[in-house]
Amino acid sequence: MTLTVAVAQIASIPTDSLATAEKAAATLREAAANGAKLVVFPEALIGGYPKGESFGAPIGMRKPEGRAAFARYHAAAIDLDGPEVAALAEATAETGAFAVVGVIERDGATLYCTVLYFDGAKGLVGKHRKLMPTAGERLVWGFGDGSTMPVFKTDYGTIGAVICWENYMPALRMHMYHQGVSLYCAPTADDRDTWLATMQHIALEGRTFVLTACQHITRAAYGPDHESALGDDPATVMMRGGSAIIGPLGKVLAGPDFSGEAILYAEIDPAEIPRAKYDFDVTGHYARPDVFELTVDTRAKSAVKEV
């Protein structure tokens, strides 16, 4: 049985998260109308990826304008019981599709770069918070813990997501492979030429289909208050896409696309997974547990515990 999967290379509206959610819902409906059973959206699509922003934080300083920028970013983040999630749940219920959506999640005063999982009529079924924000991202995003690294079994495969440079964490990849992921989703903000090779490596290493989605977004989308290290020409491309779909032996099935906003599709056969694992199963017959052992702590970690 073959199925159609898709990656949505669309731009967020960083100043309007509900409008972004409605745009994502419309994109999901379009992809589902074209047969897609799984649709993957970019990192931080809803809430925005603050490309080029410094948040006024030279070493040892916090500028007032940086605090103001963070306040705006905090306001644009979403609550999981809010209208943005409801709009996406409505679209998945209507289409029956599975969606993997990058958001900025607000939890009190802390923001997380999160992936939300929506499963048809079941609505929101889980989330993954980015374990390790990269470089300046650590200034504005909290760190996820081991309690949000789930996978989801569906009729057409096991779906899991790893965000952007988390994909360079071998232990996290190993945990995903151990959970049997066959549809490995990689929402990202990395639009470099080298990203495709990373995705091909993961497909080969895990013998899994890989779906990676990045925004294609220009400076104009961010509004006048956004500080941009890339300049303020509205036509400046802040992220250029590069979304792609890769098969379990590393073959590129769709993309990479750098042309603009787009939905990329691929027809895949889940039966390719066991065929690919015939000679390499990284957590099975090719593992050496007598030499290497990985321990994963999946407990939630709270700063305050009431006993």
Side-chain angles (χ1 to χ4, degrees):
M1 177 189 73
T2 63
L3 71 143
T4 301
V5 296
V7 292
Q9 181 167 287
I10 62 172
S12 70
I13 306 165
T15 57
D16 192 335
S17 291
L18 182 55
T20 307
E22 291 168 346
K23 178 178 180 178
T27 303
L28 175 66
R29 289 185 175 96
E30 178 183 346
N34 286 320
K37 301 297 184 184
L38 168 64
V39 186
V40 180
F41 291 84
E43 177 183 16
L45 178 69
I46 301 174
Y49 187 85
K51 185 72 176 282
E53 174 71 78
S54 73
F55 291 93
I59 297 294
M61 297 175 60
R62 250 71 69 212
K63 297 179 181 179
E65 56 266 36
R67 294 188 186 277
F70 180 76
R72 291 192 297 270
Y73 195 45
H74 184 273
I78 69 167
D79 301 310
L80 298 192
D81 59 355
E84 298 85 1
V85 170
L88 290 164
E90 180 182 348
T92 58
E94 180 184 312
T95 61
F98 197 107
V100 176
V101 185
V103 307
I104 300 302
E105 175 196 0
R106 182 171 50 224
D107 187 354
T110 298
L111 304 180
Y112 294 93
C113 180
T114 297
V115 160
L116 301 181
Y117 300 91
F118 296 86
D119 186 359
K122 297 176 185 176
L124 179 64
V125 292
K127 69 181 181 184
H128 165 56
R129 286 176 171 174
K130 193 172 187 177
L131 288 173
M132 196 64 196
T134 302
E137 295 172 355
R138 296 174 203 168
L139 183 67
V140 291
W141 295 344
F143 291 33
D145 62 26
S147 68
T148 67
M149 300 188 298
V151 298
F152 296 89
K153 297 185 184 301
T154 70
D155 291 341
Y156 38 86
T158 300
I159 299 168
V162 180
I163 306 169
C164 203
W165 276 23
E166 287 187 315
N167 285 283
Y168 291 116
M169 299 174 73
L172 177 54
R173 298 200 309 269
M174 193 72 165
H175 179 55
M176 298 304 290
Y177 304 149
H178 168 73
Q179 295 183 92
V181 64
S182 58
L183 294 161
Y184 184 112
C185 306
T188 190
D190 191 332
D191 61 357
R192 301 172 304 163
D193 291 338
T194 49
W195 186 248
L196 181 64
T198 293
M199 296 294 97
Q200 289 181 284
H201 171 90
I202 289 172
L204 279 162
E205 181 179 67
R207 293 304 204 253
T208 177
F209 290 98
V210 172
L211 296 88
T212 185
C214 183
Q215 296 187 50
H216 190 287
I217 186 168
T218 64
R219 174 66 183 85
Y222 283 87
D225 292 333
H226 178 73
E227 176 197 358
S228 173
L230 298 174
D232 291 319
D233 181 344
T236 297
V237 176
M238 305 288 274
M239 285 186 280
R240 65 185 184 122
S243 304
I245 302 170
I246 298 103
L249 289 177
K251 181 180 179 181
V252 179
L253 306 176
D257 188 304
F258 298 102
S259 64
E261 292 188 278
I263 305 173
L264 283 66
Y265 300 90
E267 191 80 12
I268 68 170
D269 181 359
E272 288 185 31
I273 299 288
R275 290 198 288 265
K277 289 190 175 183
Y278 158 63
D279 55 353
F280 188 86
D281 184 3
V282 70
T283 57
H285 63 74
Y286 216 90
R288 285 294 305 274
D290 55 323
V291 179
F292 305 109
E293 184 176 348
L294 175 65
T295 300
V296 181
D297 187 344
T298 59
R299 295 173 294 177
K301 302 295 175 64
S302 174
V304 177
K305 295 181 181 179
E306 296 181 2
V307 179

